[in-house]
Amino acid sequence: MTTLKADVYVCVDIEADGRVPGMNSMLSLGAAAFVEGNRTPVATFEINIAQIPDGVTDPETMAWWGRQDPETWAHVTKDPVAPEEAMRRFAAWVRALNGTPIMVVFPTWDYMWVQYYLVRYCGPYESPFGIGALDIKSLAYALLPRIQSFKHAAKRNIPRYLFEGCPPHTHRALDDALGQGVLLVNLLGLRRKQ
């Protein structure tokens, strides 16, 4: 009989210079690995990524960045690594985790970026996650009857107690991945009680 490895939840967050992977570029990738029942991550990862050679920036996204804290922009663009190297490092980090890696996102927008980059730079069958991710928005919608429609499964409609222990949302990829991880652990705890 094969013993299954425990799930390790890899919460990812990205920052980008536009809205479309392949047309625009992922600038920063942060990830925090969690196990159920523990709001302290077992490992973290953060890397800034050089723009793709054939990419363009989206004017609306860049205008949004212009309204953010300049230190945040400096943080997500400091010392970028070539996309190929960044994704090889990320995939190796995920594979070194002790457990079965499950990508976790909120929203699914982050999944499309990470998956695109993994396929483009590591190969179509080399993603350590396979082809799916756990979406916190969907999980919250399923667990919280007070959220009446999927459209309203937004952070502002999730009860505040489920954010206990979450760091502030800063638009720095690792900070935001850590917050999503704590929210996930809190939601999984709620799931176990039902």
Side-chain angles (χ1 to χ4, degrees), residues 157-169:
N157 295 324
I158 294 174
R160 294 297 95 197
Y161 75 89
L162 288 169
F163 290 93
E164 181 181 328
C166 290
H169 191 84

Side-chain angles (χ1 to χ4, degrees), residues 102-121:
I102 309 296
M103 188 191 312
V104 179
V105 294
F106 191 1
T108 53
W109 188 80
D110 296 274
Y111 168 78
M112 70 178 188
W113 285 91
V114 175
Q115 185 67 7
Y116 173 82
Y117 269 67
L118 283 168
V119 168
R120 179 171 177 176
Y121 295 111

Side-chain angles (χ1 to χ4, degrees), residues 32-46:
F34 291 83
V35 294
E36 191 166 345
N38 189 347
R39 294 191 302 201
T40 301
V42 297
T44 60
F45 177 92
E46 185 174 35

Side-chain angles (χ1 to χ4, degrees), residues 4-124:
L4 294 175
K5 290 183 177 180
D7 290 339
V8 58
Y9 298 97
V10 181
C11 299
V12 298
D13 186 80
I14 72 99
E15 302 301 333
D17 66 8
R19 298 176 180 217
V20 183
M23 178 185 299
N24 310 124
S25 299
M26 178 165 45
L27 303 175
S28 187
L29 167 63
F34 291 83
V35 294
E36 191 166 345
N38 189 347
R39 294 191 302 201
T40 301
V42 297
T44 60
F45 177 92
E46 185 174 35
I47 198 163
N48 292 339
I49 305 167
Q51 292 175 303
I52 58 176
D54 51 346
V56 296
T57 59
D58 172 60
E60 287 183 28
T61 303
M62 297 313 293
W64 178 86
W65 274 115
R67 296 188 297 273
Q68 305 309 306
D69 180 354
E71 288 183 18
T72 300
W73 175 253
H75 180 83
V76 304
T77 57
K78 182 180 178 184
D79 300 326
V81 174
E84 300 89 344
E85 178 64 20
M87 299 319 290
R88 280 196 296 267
R89 287 187 199 175
F90 177 60
W93 176 82
V94 172
R95 287 189 181 99
L97 295 170
N98 186 21
T100 301
I102 309 296
M103 188 191 312
V104 179
V105 294
F106 191 1
T108 53
W109 188 80
D110 296 274
Y111 168 78
M112 70 178 188
W113 285 91
V114 175
Q115 185 67 7
Y116 173 82
Y117 269 67
L118 283 168
V119 168
R120 179 171 177 176
Y121 295 111
C122 294

